[in-house]
Amino acid sequence: MTVVPGPDHRKLPRRRGAVLSRAIFDAVLAEIAESGYSALTMDRVAERARASKASLYRRWPGRAALVLDAAYEAMPGPDAVPNTGSLRLDTLTVMRQGARQLEGIVGQAMRGVLGEALQNPEVAAEVREFARGNAGRMMREILANAVNRGECDPDLVTDFRIEAGPALLRQRFIFGSGPIDDDFLVGVVDQVVLPLFGVDPKNNRRGT
Amino acid sequence: MTVVPGPDHRKLPRRRGAVLSRAIFDAVLAEIAESGYSALTMDRVAERARASKASLYRRWPGRAALVLDAAYEAMPGPDAVPNTGSLRLDTLTVMRQGARQLEGIVGQAMRGVLGEALQNPEVAAEVREFARGNAGRMMREILANAVNRGECDPDLVTDFRIEAGPALLRQRFIFGSGPIDDDFLVGVVDQVVLPLFGVDPKNNRRGT
DNA sequence: GCTTATAGAGAACTAGCAGTTCTCTACCTC
DNA sequence: GAGGTAGAGAACTGCTAGTTCTCTATAAGC
């Protein structure tokens, strides 16, 4: 029992509460950025955050919940909803913002969270609510503006039509691998979103 | 070393090749049906199939590959492509077939496979190819028939438009939990698919 | 029908991860 | 200053993926 005491880490200044949570989130995101979601382990997160696993499990019931929270933290606040006066440009802007988010750490984290969601209906419901309140809200708002401008018939604004564009983007994210190029987004907007809302893309091609 | 010999299982008739593979697939599907994908372990599969783990690993490099193969096996052969004379009914039929498949064991297996695909781009590519050659092929065929009937402008038949309906169905499968009800499918067809191909649903409502 | 190579059965084994529990002690509150 | 809360670190359990070993049934070649 050769106990070489050395510096006792327990005597270092200790973080608590929100500060510690912040450090744990940072560790999760750094791990994901470095090695991806599937290589993320609770031990590695704890070590990287210089926290104990007990502290992790006091805050979250398991890995899925931890990553879900970390992913929410990593998401940029709700982007300002664009209002350019053209439904085409507004939609394209929203789609581009979404695609850009999915390319970075948030995308990596989302892949992990989605994997959990597939196995766990409660996680799935939570993710669905989040997506609905995020992309859905923005789409609804730019469509309301288009209706007010008289650019779009209000009867066409239904959940099915609203979800078509985002669904194609998400499918591309899930099944595709590389970055989502702009041609894809333009194709979705011009060939799917605008036709569904009765807008002719050709009448809207002022800026990009 | 109290070796009580007992009946040596190794003396039972041994299955080989395709017969054994078949038994392993059956065990995988039974496990998934019984306890879902996340509870599926190689040990349980081996035990259920009365096979050795070595036999499993000689055939497949890991769990993901095994389940992927088992899922393909479980899929019914390509349904006959409907040709009712109405694009609306053809599309609805295809969507209903797809939704029905996703409700059973195939759906459970797909959840597992999708989870793997999210972490592994190669699996993702394989699944994408499969989906494209399945739903995509059927959609393309019924659209070709619609074009031949003069029901639909051939210029409208593009990948983006073709994928819109299936993408909504898949999104519903991934994020939703319960069975996919028919109102959803009708909504997708009437509000998204048909408008994208320039067909008015009202002119097509002969038989459901 | 005999020989030989292949491959299956079963079990023991390693390594790694999730999650729990323990001790010790810093920090906050009263 | 006392007492309670919560963090650090480590030891521990239990489960699973994947490997490797021995023994032997079966198939294929002669």
Side-chain angles (χ1 to χ4, degrees):
Chain A
M1 273 287 186
T2 50
V3 177
V4 181
D8 192 338
H9 323 59
R10 288 174 288 191
K11 291 189 175 162
L12 292 175
R14 253 180 220 173
R15 302 152 301 180
R16 297 193 153 223
V19 177
L20 181 55
S21 294
R22 181 78 258 159
I24 294 170
F25 284 144
D26 288 347
V28 169
L29 297 172
E31 283 292 321
I32 288 177
E34 208 173 285
S35 324
Y37 173 82
S38 48
L40 180 128
T41 71
M42 296 301 260
D43 285 274
R44 287 172 67 90
V45 170
E47 194 188 343
R48 181 160 209 150
R50 298 198 63 75
S52 75
K53 284 211 291 175
S55 300
L56 266 60
Y57 282 102
R58 182 165 308 124
R59 289 173 162 75
W60 299 277
R63 200 172 68 133
L66 169 57
V67 175
L68 197 59
D69 271 11
Y72 288 167
E73 279 291 313
M75 301 225 181
D79 281 307
V81 176
N83 188 0
T84 63
S86 136
L87 178 59
R88 181 170 189 274
L89 195 48
D90 284 355
T91 314
L92 213 38
T93 304
V94 168
M95 298 280 284
R96 281 170 178 153
Q97 285 172 355
R100 218 179 310 126
Q101 278 194 25
L102 292 176
E103 268 166 27
I105 298 180
V106 173
Q108 282 281 335
M110 280 314 287
R111 277 181 211 280
V113 170
L114 270 181
E116 306 287 348
L118 283 161
Q119 304 303 323
N120 183 342
E122 290 167 36
V123 177
E126 200 177 332
V127 174
R128 184 177 59 242
E129 285 312 306
F130 183 80
R132 200 163 272 289
N134 214 26
R137 186 186 52 79
M138 295 181 85
M139 287 292 290
R140 248 169 272 270
E141 202 164 326
I142 63 180
L143 281 162
N145 291 337
V147 168
N148 286 340
R149 284 192 303 268
E151 199 180 352
C152 164
D153 177 353
D155 289 347
L156 294 179
V157 182
T158 67
D159 281 353
F160 290 110
R161 291 187 168 93
I162 289 172
E163 277 299 309
L168 282 165
L169 175 57
R170 287 180 201 127
Q171 171 169 286
R172 170 67 180 72
F173 168 68
I174 291 172
F175 294 105
S177 48
I180 298 169
D181 60 35
D182 208 59
D183 287 348
F184 175 82
L185 299 174
V186 171
V188 169
V189 169
D190 285 347
Q191 295 184 40
V192 176
V193 179
L194 296 184
L196 284 177
F197 293 111
V199 175
D200 184 349
K202 296 196 192 93
N203 299 339
N204 272 275
R205 212 162 267 162
R206 291 189 290 264
T208 301
Chain B
M1 273 288 189
T2 49
V3 178
V4 180
D8 192 338
H9 323 60
R10 287 173 289 191
K11 290 187 174 162
L12 292 176
R14 254 180 221 174
R15 301 152 300 179
R16 298 191 153 224
V19 178
L20 182 55
S21 294
R22 181 78 258 159
I24 293 170
F25 284 145
D26 288 346
V28 169
L29 296 173
E31 282 291 321
I32 287 177
E34 207 172 286
S35 322
Y37 173 82
S38 48
L40 180 130
T41 72
M42 297 300 262
D43 286 272
R44 286 172 66 91
V45 169
E47 194 188 344
R48 181 161 210 150
R50 299 199 63 76
S52 75
K53 285 210 291 174
S55 300
L56 266 60
Y57 283 104
R58 183 166 306 123
R59 289 174 162 77
W60 299 276
R63 199 172 67 133
L66 169 57
V67 174
L68 197 60
D69 272 11
Y72 288 166
E73 280 290 314
M75 300 226 181
D79 281 307
V81 176
N83 188 359
T84 63
S86 136
L87 179 59
R88 181 172 189 273
L89 196 48
D90 285 355
T91 315
L92 214 37
T93 303
V94 169
M95 297 281 284
R96 281 171 178 153
Q97 286 173 353
R100 216 178 312 125
Q101 279 194 25
L102 292 175
E103 267 165 28
I105 299 180
V106 174
Q108 282 282 335
M110 281 313 287
R111 277 181 212 279
V113 170
L114 269 182
E116 305 288 348
L118 283 161
Q119 304 304 324
N120 183 341
E122 290 167 35
V123 176
E126 202 177 330
V127 174
R128 183 177 62 241
E129 285 314 306
F130 183 80
R132 200 163 273 290
N134 214 27
R137 187 186 51 79
M138 296 181 84
M139 287 293 289
R140 248 170 273 270
E141 202 164 325
I142 63 180
L143 281 162
N145 291 337
V147 168
N148 287 338
R149 283 193 303 269
E151 199 180 351
C152 165
D153 176 355
D155 289 347
L156 295 179
V157 182
T158 67
D159 282 352
F160 289 110
R161 289 179 223 258
I162 288 172
E163 277 299 309
L168 282 166
L169 176 57
R170 287 180 200 125
Q171 172 168 284
R172 169 67 180 73
F173 168 67
I174 291 171
F175 294 104
S177 48
I180 298 169
D181 60 35
D182 208 58
D183 287 349
F184 175 84
L185 300 173
V186 171
V188 169
V189 170
D190 284 347
Q191 294 184 40
V192 176
V193 179
L194 296 184
L196 284 177
F197 294 111
V199 175
D200 184 349
K202 295 197 192 94
N203 299 339
N204 271 274
R205 212 162 269 162
R206 290 191 289 264
T208 302

